[in-house]
Structure formats: C-alpha cells, structure tokens
Amino acid sequence: METLGQDLETMRRVPLAAEHVDAICAIGGEKLYPAGTIVMDIGEPMDRFVYVLEGEIEVVNPYTGERMFESGLGPTQFLGEIGFLSGSTNYLKMRAAVDTRVIEAPRRGVLELMSRIPELSDHLITVFAARRRKQFELGNAAVKVVGADRDAAVQAVERFLSRNRIPFKSYDLDAKDEQSVQVCTLIGHEPAVLLGNGTRLEDPTPRKVAQYLGLDLDICSRRTYDLVIVGGGPAGVAAAVYAGSEGIEALVVEDTAVGGQAGTSSRIENYMGFPTGISGTDLTWRGQVQAMKFGTRFVMPRRVEALSKRDDGSYCVTLDDGDELCARALLVATGVQYRRLPLANLEELEGAGIFYSATEMEARFCAKTEAVVIGGGNSAGQAAMYLSRAASHVHLVVRSGSLAASMSSYLSQRLEADPRVTIHYHSEVTALHGDDWLEGLTLKTKDSERRIDTRALFIMIGAAPNTDWLSGLAATDDKGFVLTGAAAGQGDDYATTAPGIFAVGDVRAGSVKRVASAVGEGSVVVSRIWQYLEDTRPQG
C-alpha cells in the first residue's frame, strides 16, 4: 500500500545543483556556528533555510543532550522538513557538531525561488517529505503523548497528531523500557501531553497542541482573502491545490484534521493511480503538500460557526473563538459526518471504546478483543477488513439485508469470504455496557437479542451534512445538503443560491459520495471561482 513520502533510508543523496545553490546564496548570507552551538531549537518557527557549506549539524536528544543519530547533516545538505512550506514549528533540536559554516536564507525568499525553479522545488519537497515520514515513523518530535488509552482528552490529541501526520511519540504507562519509565516518572505516572523539553500541557486539546506547533495560524482579524475553503477533505484539498496553482490567494479552514471523512479510512483501493491502495490520510496529505507548495495556507483545528455578507459582496466566516476571516468567494467543502446512535451512555464512552474512525491509532484497542463495526457503506467495510488483522474477530452490523446497494462489490465479496468477519444483517445495537470503558453491547437481530463482549465499537452510519454555519445565506435541502446548479436556479453545477458561494463534494445535494468524485469536483470548481473573481474584481 502507498504511504506518505519516500523512504529516507533508500533515497540516493543528490546535492543541490550549483545554480540552485547560487540562487539561495544570492538571497541569503553566510553564518558560522561554533561547535556545540544550537542551530535550530525545538519550538522555533521554521522561518529560514539553512544550507551547510562546511562542518556538520547533528540532532540532539532534548532530555539527555546527547547526539540522537549516528549520522548528521554535512556539506551540500540542508535543514528542514515539510513544515518549512507553512512556516510551522521545528520539532527537532539541531546543534553544530563541529565548527560549521552555513548559508541562511529567509523562508519567503526560498519559497519564491521554488515557485520560479520547479527543479529546486521538486528536490526540496522530495527530501522534506521523506524526512517527515522518517520523523513520523520514529516518533522523533517535541510532542510526547502518555497514557492515551486511559484518558479521552489525551487520546484526542494523539488522534489529531496522527491524522495530520505530525511526528510524536506515544508512551504506555505500563511499559517497562527505560525511556518509557523515564517519561512516565517525569509526569507522575498520569496521562499527559508533553511539549518541548518536558513542559506538561494542562487540559490537553488538539487546539492547544496546534498553537504550540504553529498549525493554528495567527490570523489577522478581518483579513480578506480571494477564497476561503471551509473543509479539508478530498474536495477541499483538491480545490486548494488548483486555487494555489492559479494564483488565487486561498485559505483552508479545517475543524479536525486534513482528510475529512476519507481520513478515517485505512485503505482506499478503488482510487485511480494506486493499485495497491492508499490510506485516506496519506492521499490527502500528499494533496496538502502540493497545495502548500503553491502557497495555499491551512489553519486547523478551527471550526466555522457562522457566516455573514458584507456590503461589498464579500463573505466573512466567524471561527470558534470569535476570529473573523473574510473572502471575496467561499467554497463549502465540509463534507458529512457519521451520525451518532441514540444510545444511553454513548457520549460518556466516546474515546473509551467507541470510535468514529478506524486507523492505526484505533486498531491497537482491538487487540485481544472482538471488535464491532456498525454500517453498510465502503468506510464500514474497509474498517472491518482492516480491524480484522488486530481483533480476535470482527462483527459487522448492517440494518438492511444486503451490502450490494451501499458497498463496492470487491469489498463486500471479501467480507463475506473472510472467516475473521461475521456480518449480521437486519441487526442493530440497542444497548452499551460499561462505565469507564466499553465492556460490551446488546445486538438485536430480528426477534432475538444477544450480548457481545467487546472493548471496541466503531460507528460508521449515515451521513449528516455540516451546514448550519451557512446562516441561511445559501439554500439547502430538507436534509441540510447544499443546493447547487439547476436545483439552485444556476447554470453552473457548483454555484449555490448565493453569488460567490460554491459547494463541492459530499456536502453538495445530489453528489456522488466517493473520494474520486469529491477530488474531481474540487478541481473543476476552481475555474468557476477564478472567473467569478475576475468578473467581480474591483476596478483600479
């Protein structure tokens, strides 16, 4: 299956071309770091490009002060990873191992060079992406998550970091290895999130971690963009790529993690170009990197709560803490979210045995227990197949009598043939059991009921659009999906009843609920938005 970035271990080291180095030198300056000097510290913004001329830069363990890896960065190499594109926070402590001479250039200047020199852009992004992959896989970062299996708030942070492919290290409170014992002792053997050199985050939330990492951009109140894209799923990310490539100044606002509902899918096998499959998170992460290369900005996790229209025809979105963003055009790409079941104790057990995504993070809770997946769509089917590798057995609960109408044929055939999966047709969950963590559930099938002992329930039913924030400015159908095209009295398939507001993807009434169609709509709509911006551009 395709994964993010290239394998840094097998990449051939290729120095920057001489003309590219000359271009960087022209906008930068030479600097000397004596041995032992910190070149870039944890928590420092990645606002400069550092190219090594002589010497060596090493990665430092922030807890021991010792060198972390045998190899370092030497002449012709450079610092940074994919966060450089957005200017986010540095995750690693970098130190001059010997007297080291470098060229330092401002980030904005290097980004401008990348926009003009595609060969330089390709080289830097390939290395940056490979480094992010390596950091993510090894957990080399400034964020340490301790005891997520015992605390829903800590688990929410871990899920946010994982889905956004942000490097972090997870520690089990019961682990006996030296490093885990050291970290757990540091925080008194209680669930916690550590930042930087051991700063404990009080009342941890994804938003607080995002602020520390520079993901929650410092947005100027009433700043006007060309386009604000609400929603970072496949449709929103595709639009972000094409908007950036067309020179449209765009900002994507995402309330959870880039990837949307597709990001909860462990494996997508029917998306063209990936014959061995790709996870929804990796697919949209690649798109996010492309969009950032073209200058599109992402802000998360921020939720849009209201929408208003100004006298000049532009639109302003109000975010969850009162910040306001304005744009001449707005793209609604908020997708849909899984519905909750009307069960007692559901909210109390969310994150404590009840989940709405099935990725590597959630799969670990299935070890030595039976897992139950509720839903008959592709997402539920993919989840059942993925979880069957970790759980002792998987139960797929379906209200109807067949999977044919709601699930791809290849997937339903696999499920029906898999001895590790039992499909319960004409069934529903009627009760949950457990206080601090899910211990079991009651399954009703026609006229009979039975209890299934499980510590992992995955709910993937229905699709509720997230459109209340539109404040009535763009019309929706009786289910909340945005009306576009002929249904909205428009000749444009993606135009809504409000001039300058467009909608794409699953949130659009009548759309095909598939990743490929969402990407296609997000790509196509940009040409309409560009034309609208041109037609309404203020004179002079």
Side-chain angles (χ1 to χ4, degrees), residues 109-146:
V110 174
L111 292 180
E112 196 276 331
L113 287 178
M114 292 171 66
S115 69
R116 289 192 292 107
I117 309 173
E119 295 82 7
L120 173 63
S121 177
D122 292 345
H123 188 131
L124 296 184
I125 287 177
T126 298
V127 175
F128 284 164
R131 286 179 179 166
R132 170 62 70 88
R133 173 182 175 180
K134 189 67 174 180
Q135 288 182 23
F136 184 78
E137 291 175 346
L138 295 179
N140 294 324
V143 182
K144 299 187 184 300
V145 179
V146 186

Side-chain angles (χ1 to χ4, degrees), residues 59-389:
V59 181
V60 181
N61 185 320
Y63 291 91
T64 65
E66 298 176 354
R67 183 173 180 139
M68 186 175 290
F69 304 117
E70 185 175 329
S71 59
L73 297 177
T76 75
Q77 292 184 288
F78 48 87
L79 270 65
E81 51 93 57
I82 209 67
F84 177 83
L85 298 181
S86 59
S88 59
T89 299
N90 177 51
Y91 306 135
L92 298 176
K93 191 169 189 175
M94 311 296 293
R95 180 176 64 195
V98 296
D99 290 349
T100 301
R101 190 164 58 91
V102 304
I103 292 294
E104 292 194 355
R107 170 180 160 270
R108 289 188 179 277
V110 174
L111 292 180
E112 196 276 331
L113 287 178
M114 292 171 66
S115 69
R116 289 192 292 107
I117 309 173
E119 295 82 7
L120 173 63
S121 177
D122 292 345
H123 188 131
L124 296 184
I125 287 177
T126 298
V127 175
F128 284 164
R131 286 179 179 166
R132 170 62 70 88
R133 173 182 175 180
K134 189 67 174 180
Q135 288 182 23
F136 184 78
E137 291 175 346
L138 295 179
N140 294 324
V143 182
K144 299 187 184 300
V145 179
V146 186
D149 56 336
R150 301 188 186 181
D151 189 291
V154 175
Q155 188 182 120
V157 171
E158 185 179 51
R159 189 177 300 112
F160 167 75
L161 294 169
S162 178
R163 287 190 56 189
N164 284 293
R165 288 301 187 250
I166 300 168
F168 70 98
K169 184 73 172 179
S170 185
Y171 295 89
D172 185 346
L173 285 172
D174 298 322
K176 303 301 181 184
D177 62 279
E178 183 178 348
Q179 190 174 23
S180 295
V181 171
Q182 179 186 10
V183 172
C184 293
T185 301
L186 182 66
I187 51 92
H189 292 275
E190 293 290 336
V193 176
L194 299 180
L195 303 176
N197 293 330
T199 302
R200 183 168 181 165
L201 182 64
E202 297 296 333
D203 301 320
T205 64
R207 173 74 185 282
K208 289 181 178 179
V209 174
Q211 288 175 320
Y212 174 82
L213 296 175
L215 301 174
D216 185 21
L217 302 178
D218 183 17
I219 304 169
C220 299
S221 181
R222 302 194 69 82
R223 163 77 188 279
T224 301
Y225 294 83
D226 290 334
L227 172 67
V228 165
I229 301 170
V230 184
V237 172
V241 172
Y242 281 83
S245 67
E246 293 298 326
I248 297 174
E249 187 182 23
L251 176 74
V252 180
V253 182
E254 169 56 44
D255 69 349
T256 305
V258 171
Q261 195 175 38
T264 68
S265 178
S266 56
R267 185 168 185 158
I268 300 172
E269 289 188 77
N270 58 355
Y271 191 86
M272 189 186 72
F274 298 96
T276 59
I278 186 171
S279 73
T281 299
D282 283 348
L283 178 65
T284 48
W285 185 82
R286 290 171 181 233
Q288 182 186 5
V289 171
Q290 283 180 286
M292 290 193 297
K293 181 184 76 169
F294 289 124
T296 301
R297 303 172 72 195
F298 289 76
V299 57
M300 57 190 172
R302 302 296 295 273
R303 186 176 66 256
V304 175
E305 295 191 334
L307 179 66
S308 61
K309 186 175 183 180
R310 297 197 299 194
D311 292 340
D312 63 0
S314 61
Y315 294 93
C316 296
V317 296
T318 302
L319 303 183
D320 42 13
D321 65 352
D323 278 345
E324 189 177 61
L325 291 171
C326 299
R328 295 175 53 216
L330 182 78
L331 180 61
V332 185
T334 45
V336 296
Q337 54 194 359
Y338 291 122
R339 288 192 173 96
R340 282 185 164 92
L341 287 170
L343 295 173
N345 210 30
L346 175 73
E347 187 174 345
E348 290 78 7
L349 292 174
E350 288 178 332
I354 294 180
F355 310 100
Y356 294 89
S357 59
T359 66
E360 181 182 350
M361 289 293 96
E362 294 80 22
R364 62 184 176 159
F365 296 113
C366 296
K368 299 179 181 179
T369 186
E370 296 187 1
V372 178
V373 179
I374 303 177
N378 274 3
S379 294
Q382 290 161 351
M385 289 298 300
Y386 180 70
L387 297 172
S388 66
R389 306 170 188 171

